Amino acid sequence: MRIALLGGTGDIGEGLALRFAHDTDHEVLIGSRDPEKARDAVADYEAALEDRGVDADVKGFANEMAADRADVVVLSVPPYYAGDTVEAVADRLDSDTILVTPAVGMKGDEDGMHYHPPGAGSVTELVAQRAPDEVPVVGAFHNLAAGKLADLEVAFDLDTLVVADDADAKRTVLDLSNEIEGLRALDAGPLANAAEVESVTPLVINIAKYNDELHDVGVKWQ
Ligand SMILES: NC(=O)c1ccc[n+]([C@@H]2O[C@H](COP(=O)([O-])OP(=O)(O)OC[C@H]3O[C@@H](n4cnc5c(N)ncnc54)[C@H](OP(=O)(O)O)[C@@H]3O)[C@@H](O)[C@H]2O)c1
């Protein structure tokens, strides 16, 4: 399978690229608004993987080209640009492309981070509204800390919650996520449940802020 990470030059894109390249046989495509930036990121990711003896299949492209070539497209861009990024690549997506969003709307103040969803109810639902009707949208990876994903020295033992209306697309993303070592993907229901999933992200960030012994907090549901 080909997995494109749009904005894969950023934090969550780096973490997911490294874990997918390290732990799975899938082809990873890094997308960027600037293809040169994507290729520079690929060089860095390949160096990190080579240090661990992994000869990975990672390539860099403009976002549009990465989306065009992929089976699964992960929108690894800040939440306020997610809708525009979907529209920028919309003509490269079809019913066989699964669009995945990890984006969470948050606002910070002196107390901590607070959930700040868009009018659509959640960023995941906003992405579904902006995507072409035939493209299945899945929410996943919202509550994972990019730093922990990107540090391949860290053994993972965390869950990610997956929401979608399309059962086949959800199954594919559950299976794909479970291929990352130490990551367990749990079904959290339809897209209408996305706000509850997204709202866990500011919670885990606040727990890390107020507990010095904890960094890059994640959740294991038991
Ligand atoms: N960071 C985390 O720990 C974490 C965890 C879970 C979920 N998330 C979610 O993942 C998403 C990405 O987070 P991040 O921390 O990786 O973000 P980031 O590093 O700030 O940005 C990711 C990439 O987005 C692209 N970008 C920046 N401005 C843009 C614009 N105006 N239009 C289109 N693309 C733009 C950039 O790529 P190019 O310049 O190469 O195009 C950038 O490298 C967010 O929605 C966040 O809520 C993050």
Side-chain angles (χ1 to χ4, degrees):
M1 202 171 281
R2 281 180 171 164
I3 306 167
L5 301 156
L6 308 189
T9 54
D11 293 338
I12 193 82
E14 176 183 17
L16 290 172
L18 290 178
R19 293 283 170 171
F20 278 125
H22 187 270
D23 295 347
T24 79
D25 292 330
H26 300 296
E27 197 177 327
V28 176
L29 313 179
I30 301 302
S32 170
R33 291 166 295 171
D34 171 2
E36 199 53 46
K37 187 176 170 187
R39 286 191 281 274
D40 288 347
V42 166
D44 290 345
Y45 302 168
E46 282 180 342
L49 290 158
E50 246 175 66
D51 283 348
R52 298 186 53 94
V54 176
D55 186 15
D57 194 2
V58 184
K59 295 187 180 72
F61 298 101
N63 281 334
E64 293 80 359
M65 186 66 80
D68 195 50
R69 292 171 177 235
D71 306 295
V72 174
V73 174
V74 184
L75 276 170
S76 318
V77 302
Y80 23 91
Y81 305 129
D84 288 348
T85 303
V86 172
E87 286 180 4
V89 302
D91 62 349
R92 311 300 182 108
L93 309 173
D94 58 31
S95 58
D96 292 329
T97 319
I98 299 172
L99 188 57
V100 180
T101 168
V104 176
M106 291 183 287
K107 273 192 171 171
D109 61 21
E110 66 279 5
D111 299 320
M113 297 303 286
H114 306 284
Y115 186 47
H116 185 68
S122 64
V123 181
T124 310
E125 289 164 294
L126 178 145
V127 166
Q129 283 178 5
R130 301 279 289 267
D133 287 346
E134 69 277 17
V135 177
V137 171
V138 178
F141 311 126
H142 302 96
N143 312 141
L144 299 177
K148 193 169 264 183
L149 277 169
D151 185 353
L152 294 171
E153 298 293 324
V154 175
F156 240 66
D157 186 20
L158 289 175
D159 291 335
T160 187
L161 301 173
V162 179
V163 290
D165 292 343
D166 184 300
D168 291 340
K170 188 196 274 180
R171 187 70 259 160
T172 299
V173 174
L174 285 162
D175 291 345
L176 206 54
S177 306
N178 280 322
E179 286 186 57
I180 293 179
E181 273 173 41
L183 184 63
R184 181 179 63 167
L186 297 174
D187 187 343
L191 290 180
N193 293 353
E196 285 72 23
V197 174
E198 293 179 9
S199 68
V200 173
T201 302
L203 174 64
V204 295
I205 293 171
N206 292 338
I207 291 170
K209 174 183 166 81
Y210 286 101
N211 294 271
D212 289 341
E213 70 279 19
L214 295 176
H215 301 282
D216 291 337
V217 173
V219 181
K220 187 85 188 168
W221 302 95
Q222 283 177 337

